[in-house]
Amino acid sequence: MGITSTIAPDDYKKFKNFLENACGITLGDGKQYLIASRLTKLLRTEQISSVSELLAAIQKGQPSHLRDQVIDAMTTNETSWFRDCSPFEVLTKEIFPQWDLDSKKHCKIWSAACSSGQEPYTISIALSEYIAMTTTTNLNSAKIMATDISASMLQEAKRAEYDENIIGRGLSSERKQQFFIRNGERWRVADVIKQRVSFKEQNLLAPYDSLGKFDIIFCRNVLIYFAADRKIDILHRIARSLNPRGVLFLGAAETVTGYSDAFDMIRSDSGVYYRLKD
Ligand SMILES: C[S@@+](CC[C@H](N)C(=O)[O-])C[C@H]1O[C@@H](n2cnc3c(N)ncnc32)[C@H](O)[C@@H]1O
């Protein structure tokens, strides 16, 4: 089914508004092809022939899972192990040692758009590597909360088992051997890495006070899809979710500049991160 040519300008506008309000993602002008490429399969399965019919079905809530499936299909879930490297170097070379110097306890970390789990499991690997090379540390009890809007991504993340192609993206063979267990054609995340991580569905547009406070937040490669007012609101609420002197990591193409003055930008030898101002 080729729906691109059949998306009327008014329907395109309505779909754009629906997506913006549902998950914050802003579609630019002329992205009909994106809707077509991401939704054709779903529309075929649900026997829906146009975007206007789709929007009506979502509004009626029939079928009930349709809204979530559309959000799932429209979100970009691209991720990899040790993505961009530098945040994990900052963690092991600066943030974790400082944590121990300050004698802080029970570190709480939030991976706020965790996709299929590579980011929170990478943080957990970084923790294990740091713990292994440190004689005394308070980070043994560190916990990682990983959230995403996508139920299907969370399901994959919780399964904690990846095929060779996915494993190959960013993971050295030493780390693969050390932190994963072969299971036929797939690789399972070792329990020591998995047990620190818990998963929860969370839309970044919805309140997250109930998640509690964190010492370190990763919110990477998601704000880039949002309009300026959304970034301002989310960064404001992320700042409120951090403990004093808490740390925020954004994606390589993201910044707080122009959206929040709650943070100091720290340029260290290992990379850039943001620290909550006193
Ligand atoms: C490109 S991935 C980034 C994954 C990981 N943080 C990384 O940098 O590798 C973006 C993730 O953001 C999630 N996402 C999109 N909109 C969201 C929202 N409103 N609330 C929470 N997660 C959202 C998507 O489902 C997707 O898994």
Short mmCIF file of all heavy atoms in Angstrom, two decimals, residues 252-278:
data_model
loop_
_atom_site.label_atom_id
_atom_site.label_comp_id
_atom_site.label_asym_id
_atom_site.label_seq_id
_atom_site.Cartn_x
_atom_site.Cartn_y
_atom_site.Cartn_z
N ALA A 252 25.68 13.38 21.54
CA ALA A 252 26.76 14.20 20.97
C ALA A 252 26.22 15.41 20.21
O ALA A 252 26.90 16.44 20.12
CB ALA A 252 27.61 13.32 20.05
N ALA A 253 25.01 15.32 19.67
CA ALA A 253 24.47 16.45 18.89
C ALA A 253 23.48 17.27 19.72
O ALA A 253 22.74 18.09 19.18
CB ALA A 253 23.77 15.90 17.65
N GLU A 254 23.47 17.05 21.04
CA GLU A 254 22.50 17.76 21.90
C GLU A 254 23.22 18.66 22.90
O GLU A 254 24.40 18.44 23.23
CB GLU A 254 21.64 16.72 22.65
CG GLU A 254 20.78 15.90 21.71
CD GLU A 254 20.22 14.62 22.34
OE1 GLU A 254 20.86 14.06 23.25
OE2 GLU A 254 19.15 14.18 21.90
N THR A 255 22.50 19.66 23.39
CA THR A 255 23.09 20.60 24.36
C THR A 255 21.99 21.17 25.26
O THR A 255 20.81 21.11 24.90
CB THR A 255 23.78 21.77 23.61
OG1 THR A 255 24.28 22.70 24.57
CG2 THR A 255 22.82 22.52 22.70
N VAL A 256 22.39 21.72 26.42
CA VAL A 256 21.41 22.43 27.26
C VAL A 256 21.39 23.92 26.87
O VAL A 256 20.45 24.63 27.23
CB VAL A 256 21.71 22.30 28.78
CG1 VAL A 256 21.75 20.86 29.21
CG2 VAL A 256 22.98 23.04 29.17
N THR A 257 22.42 24.34 26.14
CA THR A 257 22.56 25.77 25.84
C THR A 257 21.34 26.29 25.08
O THR A 257 20.94 25.74 24.06
CB THR A 257 23.84 26.01 24.98
OG1 THR A 257 24.92 25.34 25.63
CG2 THR A 257 24.14 27.49 24.84
N GLY A 258 20.74 27.34 25.67
CA GLY A 258 19.56 27.92 25.06
C GLY A 258 18.27 27.30 25.59
O GLY A 258 17.19 27.81 25.30
N TYR A 259 18.38 26.21 26.37
CA TYR A 259 17.17 25.55 26.88
C TYR A 259 17.10 25.49 28.40
O TYR A 259 16.03 25.37 28.96
CB TYR A 259 17.08 24.12 26.33
CG TYR A 259 17.18 24.04 24.82
CD1 TYR A 259 18.28 23.47 24.21
CD2 TYR A 259 16.17 24.58 24.03
CE1 TYR A 259 18.38 23.43 22.82
CE2 TYR A 259 16.26 24.54 22.64
CZ TYR A 259 17.37 23.97 22.05
OH TYR A 259 17.46 23.93 20.68
N SER A 260 18.26 25.51 29.06
CA SER A 260 18.26 25.41 30.52
C SER A 260 19.50 26.09 31.07
O SER A 260 20.59 25.95 30.50
CB SER A 260 18.27 23.94 30.94
OG SER A 260 18.51 23.84 32.33
N ASP A 261 19.33 26.84 32.18
CA ASP A 261 20.53 27.40 32.82
C ASP A 261 20.75 26.75 34.19
O ASP A 261 21.41 27.30 35.06
CB ASP A 261 20.48 28.93 32.90
CG ASP A 261 19.21 29.42 33.57
OD1 ASP A 261 18.51 28.56 34.18
OD2 ASP A 261 18.91 30.63 33.50
N ALA A 262 20.18 25.54 34.36
CA ALA A 262 20.32 24.84 35.64
C ALA A 262 21.66 24.09 35.73
O ALA A 262 22.01 23.60 36.80
CB ALA A 262 19.17 23.85 35.80
N PHE A 263 22.39 24.01 34.62
CA PHE A 263 23.59 23.17 34.58
C PHE A 263 24.85 23.96 34.22
O PHE A 263 24.79 24.92 33.46
CB PHE A 263 23.43 22.07 33.52
CG PHE A 263 22.25 21.16 33.74
CD1 PHE A 263 21.01 21.45 33.19
CD2 PHE A 263 22.39 20.01 34.51
CE1 PHE A 263 19.92 20.62 33.39
CE2 PHE A 263 21.31 19.16 34.71
CZ PHE A 263 20.07 19.46 34.15
N ASP A 264 25.98 23.51 34.77
CA ASP A 264 27.29 23.96 34.27
C ASP A 264 27.76 22.93 33.26
O ASP A 264 27.66 21.73 33.51
CB ASP A 264 28.32 23.99 35.42
CG ASP A 264 28.08 25.17 36.34
OD1 ASP A 264 27.77 26.27 35.84
OD2 ASP A 264 28.18 24.98 37.58
N MET A 265 28.28 23.44 32.12
CA MET A 265 28.86 22.50 31.15
C MET A 265 30.29 22.20 31.56
O MET A 265 31.08 23.12 31.78
CB MET A 265 28.85 23.11 29.75
CG MET A 265 29.33 22.14 28.70
SD MET A 265 29.82 22.97 27.19
CE MET A 265 28.34 22.89 26.27
N ILE A 266 30.63 20.93 31.72
CA ILE A 266 31.99 20.56 32.12
C ILE A 266 32.68 19.94 30.91
O ILE A 266 32.21 18.94 30.36
CB ILE A 266 31.99 19.52 33.27
CG1 ILE A 266 30.99 19.88 34.37
CG2 ILE A 266 33.40 19.31 33.82
CD1 ILE A 266 31.36 20.98 35.30
N ARG A 267 33.78 20.57 30.51
CA ARG A 267 34.58 20.00 29.41
C ARG A 267 35.79 19.33 30.04
O ARG A 267 36.72 20.01 30.45
CB ARG A 267 35.08 21.11 28.49
CG ARG A 267 34.02 21.66 27.58
CD ARG A 267 34.63 22.78 26.74
NE ARG A 267 33.59 23.52 26.06
CZ ARG A 267 32.98 23.09 24.96
NH1 ARG A 267 33.33 21.94 24.41
NH2 ARG A 267 32.04 23.80 24.40
N SER A 268 35.77 18.03 30.13
CA SER A 268 36.89 17.32 30.76
C SER A 268 37.74 16.67 29.66
O SER A 268 37.36 16.70 28.50
CB SER A 268 36.36 16.26 31.70
OG SER A 268 35.89 15.18 30.94
N ASP A 269 38.86 16.06 30.07
CA ASP A 269 39.70 15.37 29.08
C ASP A 269 38.94 14.24 28.39
O ASP A 269 39.19 13.92 27.24
CB ASP A 269 40.94 14.77 29.77
CG ASP A 269 41.90 15.87 30.18
OD1 ASP A 269 41.74 17.00 29.67
OD2 ASP A 269 42.79 15.60 31.02
N SER A 270 38.00 13.64 29.12
CA SER A 270 37.30 12.49 28.56
C SER A 270 36.06 12.87 27.75
O SER A 270 35.56 12.05 26.98
CB SER A 270 36.87 11.53 29.67
OG SER A 270 37.95 11.24 30.50
N GLY A 271 35.55 14.08 27.97
CA GLY A 271 34.36 14.48 27.21
C GLY A 271 33.54 15.54 27.92
O GLY A 271 33.92 16.02 28.99
N VAL A 272 32.39 15.85 27.31
CA VAL A 272 31.54 16.92 27.85
C VAL A 272 30.38 16.31 28.63
O VAL A 272 29.80 15.31 28.21
CB VAL A 272 30.96 17.76 26.68
CG1 VAL A 272 29.92 18.75 27.17
CG2 VAL A 272 32.07 18.48 25.94
N TYR A 273 30.08 16.91 29.79
CA TYR A 273 28.87 16.52 30.52
C TYR A 273 28.34 17.75 31.26
O TYR A 273 28.96 18.82 31.20
CB TYR A 273 29.15 15.35 31.48
CG TYR A 273 30.17 15.61 32.56
CD1 TYR A 273 29.78 15.94 33.86
CD2 TYR A 273 31.54 15.52 32.30
CE1 TYR A 273 30.71 16.16 34.86
CE2 TYR A 273 32.49 15.75 33.29
CZ TYR A 273 32.06 16.07 34.57
OH TYR A 273 32.99 16.32 35.55
N TYR A 274 27.21 17.61 31.91
CA TYR A 274 26.57 18.75 32.58
C TYR A 274 26.39 18.43 34.06
O TYR A 274 25.97 17.33 34.41
CB TYR A 274 25.20 19.03 31.93
CG TYR A 274 25.34 19.38 30.47
CD1 TYR A 274 25.26 18.38 29.49
CD2 TYR A 274 25.60 20.67 30.05
CE1 TYR A 274 25.42 18.67 28.15
CE2 TYR A 274 25.78 20.98 28.70
CZ TYR A 274 25.69 19.96 27.77
OH TYR A 274 25.86 20.25 26.44
N ARG A 275 26.74 19.45 34.90
CA ARG A 275 26.58 19.23 36.34
C ARG A 275 25.55 20.23 36.86
O ARG A 275 25.58 21.41 36.48
CB ARG A 275 27.91 19.45 37.06
CG ARG A 275 27.85 18.97 38.51
CD ARG A 275 29.16 19.16 39.21
NE ARG A 275 30.18 18.14 38.93
CZ ARG A 275 30.14 16.88 39.37
NH1 ARG A 275 29.12 16.45 40.07
NH2 ARG A 275 31.11 16.05 39.08
N LEU A 276 24.62 19.73 37.68
CA LEU A 276 23.60 20.60 38.27
C LEU A 276 24.28 21.70 39.08
O LEU A 276 25.16 21.41 39.90
CB LEU A 276 22.68 19.76 39.17
CG LEU A 276 21.40 20.42 39.66
CD1 LEU A 276 20.46 20.76 38.50
CD2 LEU A 276 20.68 19.49 40.64
N LYS A 277 23.87 22.97 38.84
CA LYS A 277 24.50 24.08 39.57
C LYS A 277 24.12 24.01 41.05
O LYS A 277 23.03 23.53 41.40
CB LYS A 277 24.00 25.41 39.00
CG LYS A 277 24.66 25.77 37.67
CD LYS A 277 24.12 27.11 37.19
CE LYS A 277 24.74 27.47 35.85
NZ LYS A 277 24.03 28.55 35.16
N ASP A 278 25.01 24.55 41.92
CA ASP A 278 24.73 24.56 43.37
C ASP A 278 23.56 25.50 43.67
O ASP A 278 23.36 26.46 42.99
CB ASP A 278 25.97 25.04 44.13
CG ASP A 278 27.08 23.98 44.06
OD1 ASP A 278 26.74 22.78 44.00
OD2 ASP A 278 28.25 24.39 44.04
#
